[in-house]
Amino acid sequence: MPAEELFYRNVIQKRLDEGLPSAVAVVFAATLFALSHVPTYYSPNPVLMASPFASNLVGGLVYGSIYARTKNIAPAVLAHALYNTIGIGLAVV
């Protein structure tokens, strides 16, 4: 998770932000983030893939927006960790 945020926010989004509007950089990095998670829930049925893809895209938009606003990777990493912790907690309960 810290590695994901370092890569998608501190490398990809930061580089895109140098030449594009910040909102475009956030959306592009979030889309790549969501696409990179497809192998973890791949199904030949696109309906079954829509929900996890959307969840990852929204997560990427949130983490990217946090990074764009703060210019600091730590809050994005903490938000991602909180999201994962809640997800794991709900799965266990």
Side-chain angles (χ1 to χ4, degrees):
M1 160 188 39
E4 284 182 331
E5 291 309 312
L6 284 170
F7 180 68
Y8 289 102
R9 304 317 145 217
N10 207 38
V11 174
I12 294 192
Q13 185 173 326
K14 183 189 271 186
R15 297 270 166 96
L16 291 169
D17 203 30
E18 292 171 0
L20 298 170
S22 185
V24 174
V26 169
V27 170
F28 192 84
T31 302
L32 290 176
F33 175 79
L35 287 171
S36 75
H37 286 80
V38 168
T40 62
Y41 55 81
Y42 176 77
S43 168
N45 182 345
V47 173
L48 296 177
M49 291 181 51
S51 178
F53 180 81
S55 174
N56 282 304
L57 181 60
V58 169
L61 291 169
V62 169
Y63 312 141
S65 296
I66 291 170
Y67 179 72
R69 185 178 180 112
T70 65
K71 300 296 185 207
N72 185 339
I73 197 66
V77 169
L78 291 173
H80 194 158
L82 178 62
Y83 177 80
N84 286 352
T85 301
I86 291 169
I88 291 168
L90 291 174
V92 171
V93 171

